[in-house]
Amino acid sequence: MFELTETQQMLRDMAHDFAANEMRPVAAHYDQTMEYPWPVIEKAHELGLMNPHVPEEYGGMGLGCLDECLVSEELAWGCTGIRTAMEANGLALAPVILGATDALKKKYAGRLIEEPLMAAYALTEPDAGSDVANMRSTAVKKGDKYILNGSKMWITNAGVANWYFVVAYTDKDKRHKGMTAFIVEREWDGVEPGKKEINLGQRCSDTRAVTFHDVEIPAENVVGEEGMGWLLAMKAFDHTRPTISAGAVGLARAAFEHARQYATERKTMGRPIASHQAIAFMIADMFKDIEAARLLAWKAAALKDRGERNTLYASCSKVFAADACHRICTDAVQIFGGYGYNTEYPVEKLLRDSKIFQIYEGTSQIQRLIIARELFDRV
Ligand SMILES: Cc1cc2nc3c(=O)[nH]c(=O)nc-3n(C[C@H](O)[C@H](O)[C@H](O)COP(=O)(O)OP(=O)(O)OC[C@H]3O[C@@H](n4cnc5c(N)ncnc54)[C@H](O)[C@@H]3O)c2cc1C
């Protein structure tokens, strides 16, 4: 578990070079313009850095969760706005790979491998984020089709997706067991993405509402079986939470590197600020938390790759990495003093980008809820 294979080291190096050469130089541009980073995505696709966990039989590289963590950390070190745009495909694909028919996987995962196309995972609604059961979207069966109505909110890639993984009620009385998952194509009648949301950070990532008005979905586009939507949507997080945790580690590492460097250059009271214990201890804390967060993410990922249940560790790693990342970015701004608060210096973007890790894919409060449930309900 502590030794990476030669292939894993090469993969990590390739992702690092990509982040250094293709992401870092344009990160501020995409933050300021909020443009979608298509040119970066196209290059990443060419190199095989997009959709890395699509199995080989569908044209992908079939990488494991730990492999994906290595890529995710480096890409996030480059720019988490661009990384989120890229890796939202992984979130949309995860439940499809888990539960879809062979034909659906070939069609929809295959498409993303062939071309630099995007996908989106659409679970959240205006009144249903942490409280998934409160969702209002419905899909009513009519012959060999389902008719989908409802609105999703805060959906990453909603404006650029070629297809959406969507969860809706097919039987509200059954609560979680009455939810069904579908693949819905962007071009189908009745699919309407909303305006681009202007977020605090990760501003080039495309976040929008998306509305479905009487959208006709062929029955073969059900992912898994009727009633499996909630389970698939949640199981997907067992794969994606370790990788998102690794993303938080990459961002924290970037903030740490900037802060450590600055602390050796900036002088007050006649000496570098790194020699003031208050600053040195902040940097020491950053380092230890980054190392611990990485190990937790790798543990959650390694369990997944071994086929073991990893829900407990996936949530532990997500909350630990997200909280550490936000704290580290806040401290990095502190170490830069007034310069840290300014857009000419790199750390204010990192602080803005860091907040979302405590919110998307389940808030830090919800991760603690899951951890507590795993500790108490399963004993
Ligand atoms: C930029 C961005 C991108 C996103 N991308 C996607 C995406 O691609 N697909 C998708 O489906 N969703 C996406 N989301 C939605 C995201 O997952 C939700 O915002 C998140 O789950 C929180 O839901 P909420 O916003 O409804 O907050 P709420 O659920 O209303 O929570 C509000 C606050 O209450 C706390 N809280 C709620 N319930 C409890 C409880 N039982 N115990 C303790 N505290 C609680 C929360 O932790 C939070 O602090 C995205 C959100 C953002 C902002």
Side-chain angles (χ1 to χ4, degrees), residues 12 37 75 80 106 144 162 176 191 216 227 240 253 271:
R12 185 169 64 176
L75 299 184
T80 49
K106 272 200 180 110
D144 59 354
N162 175 268
H176 295 93
V191 178
E216 290 188 6
T240 59
R253 205 179 95 212
R271 52 195 174 115

CSV table of all heavy atoms in Angstrom, one decimal, residues 12 37 75 80 106 144 162 176 191 216 227 240 253 271:
chain,number,residue,atom,x,y,z
A,12,ARG,N,1.7,9.1,-12.4
A,12,ARG,CA,1.7,10.3,-11.5
A,12,ARG,C,2.6,11.4,-12.2
A,12,ARG,O,2.2,12.6,-12.2
A,12,ARG,CB,2.2,10.0,-10.1
A,12,ARG,CG,2.1,11.2,-9.2
A,12,ARG,CD,2.3,10.8,-7.8
A,12,ARG,NE,3.7,10.3,-7.5
A,12,ARG,CZ,4.2,10.0,-6.4
A,12,ARG,NH1,3.4,10.1,-5.3
A,12,ARG,NH2,5.4,9.5,-6.2
A,37,PRO,N,-12.8,25.3,-19.8
A,37,PRO,CA,-11.5,25.0,-20.3
A,37,PRO,C,-11.4,24.0,-21.4
A,37,PRO,O,-10.6,23.0,-21.3
A,37,PRO,CB,-10.8,24.6,-19.0
A,37,PRO,CG,-11.8,23.9,-18.2
A,37,PRO,CD,-13.1,24.6,-18.5
A,75,LEU,N,-3.6,16.8,-10.9
A,75,LEU,CA,-4.4,17.7,-11.6
A,75,LEU,C,-4.9,18.9,-10.7
A,75,LEU,O,-5.0,20.0,-11.1
A,75,LEU,CB,-5.6,17.0,-12.3
A,75,LEU,CG,-5.3,15.9,-13.3
A,75,LEU,CD1,-6.5,15.4,-13.9
A,75,LEU,CD2,-4.3,16.4,-14.4
A,80,THR,N,-7.8,23.3,-9.5
A,80,THR,CA,-9.0,22.5,-9.1
A,80,THR,C,-10.3,22.9,-9.9
A,80,THR,O,-11.2,22.1,-10.0
A,80,THR,CB,-9.3,22.6,-7.6
A,80,THR,OG1,-9.4,23.9,-7.2
A,80,THR,CG2,-8.4,21.8,-6.8
A,106,LYS,N,-21.2,0.4,-23.3
A,106,LYS,CA,-20.5,0.6,-24.6
A,106,LYS,C,-20.9,1.9,-25.2
A,106,LYS,O,-20.0,2.6,-25.7
A,106,LYS,CB,-21.0,-0.6,-25.5
A,106,LYS,CG,-20.1,-1.8,-25.3
A,106,LYS,CD,-20.2,-2.7,-26.5
A,106,LYS,CE,-19.4,-3.9,-26.3
A,106,LYS,NZ,-20.1,-5.2,-26.1
A,144,ASP,N,-43.0,1.5,-23.5
A,144,ASP,CA,-41.6,1.2,-23.4
A,144,ASP,C,-40.7,2.5,-23.1
A,144,ASP,O,-39.5,2.5,-23.5
A,144,ASP,CB,-41.1,0.5,-24.6
A,144,ASP,CG,-41.3,1.3,-25.9
A,144,ASP,OD1,-41.9,2.4,-25.8
A,144,ASP,OD2,-40.9,0.8,-27.0
A,162,ASN,N,-22.8,16.0,-22.8
A,162,ASN,CA,-23.4,15.2,-23.9
A,162,ASN,C,-24.6,14.4,-23.3
A,162,ASN,O,-25.5,14.1,-24.0
A,162,ASN,CB,-22.4,14.4,-24.6
A,162,ASN,CG,-22.9,13.5,-25.7
A,162,ASN,OD1,-23.3,12.4,-25.4
A,162,ASN,ND2,-23.0,14.1,-26.9
A,176,HIS,N,-36.4,5.8,-0.7
A,176,HIS,CA,-35.2,5.6,-1.4
A,176,HIS,C,-35.3,4.5,-2.4
A,176,HIS,O,-34.6,4.5,-3.5
A,176,HIS,CB,-34.0,5.3,-0.4
A,176,HIS,CG,-33.7,6.4,0.5
A,176,HIS,ND1,-34.3,6.6,1.8
A,176,HIS,CD2,-32.9,7.5,0.3
A,176,HIS,CE1,-33.9,7.7,2.3
A,176,HIS,NE2,-33.0,8.2,1.5
A,191,VAL,N,-35.0,18.9,-22.6
A,191,VAL,CA,-33.8,19.0,-21.7
A,191,VAL,C,-33.3,20.5,-21.7
A,191,VAL,O,-32.9,20.9,-22.8
A,191,VAL,CB,-32.7,18.0,-22.0
A,191,VAL,CG1,-31.5,18.2,-21.1
A,191,VAL,CG2,-33.2,16.6,-22.0
A,216,GLU,N,-38.8,12.2,-22.9
A,216,GLU,CA,-39.1,10.7,-23.2
A,216,GLU,C,-37.8,9.9,-23.1
A,216,GLU,O,-36.8,10.2,-23.9
A,216,GLU,CB,-39.7,10.5,-24.5
A,216,GLU,CG,-41.1,11.1,-24.6
A,216,GLU,CD,-41.8,10.8,-25.9
A,216,GLU,OE1,-41.2,10.0,-26.8
A,216,GLU,OE2,-42.9,11.3,-26.1
A,227,GLY,N,-35.9,1.3,-9.2
A,227,GLY,CA,-35.7,1.2,-7.8
A,227,GLY,C,-34.3,1.2,-7.3
A,227,GLY,O,-34.0,1.3,-6.1
A,240,THR,N,-15.7,7.8,-5.9
A,240,THR,CA,-15.3,9.2,-6.2
A,240,THR,C,-14.8,9.9,-5.0
A,240,THR,O,-14.0,10.9,-5.2
A,240,THR,CB,-16.4,9.9,-6.9
A,240,THR,OG1,-17.6,10.0,-6.0
A,240,THR,CG2,-16.8,9.3,-8.2
A,253,ARG,N,-1.6,20.9,-1.2
A,253,ARG,CA,-0.1,20.9,-1.5
A,253,ARG,C,0.3,22.1,-2.2
A,253,ARG,O,1.4,22.7,-1.9
A,253,ARG,CB,0.2,19.6,-2.3
A,253,ARG,CG,1.5,19.1,-2.2
A,253,ARG,CD,1.7,17.9,-3.0
A,253,ARG,NE,2.3,18.1,-4.3
A,253,ARG,CZ,2.0,17.5,-5.4
A,253,ARG,NH1,1.1,16.5,-5.4
A,253,ARG,NH2,2.6,17.8,-6.6
A,271,ARG,N,14.3,39.1,10.0
A,271,ARG,CA,14.6,37.7,9.6
A,271,ARG,C,13.4,37.1,8.8
A,271,ARG,O,12.3,37.7,8.9
A,271,ARG,CB,14.9,36.9,10.9
A,271,ARG,CG,13.9,37.0,12.0
A,271,ARG,CD,14.5,36.4,13.3
A,271,ARG,NE,13.7,36.6,14.4
A,271,ARG,CZ,13.1,35.7,15.1
A,271,ARG,NH1,13.2,34.4,14.7
A,271,ARG,NH2,12.3,35.9,16.1
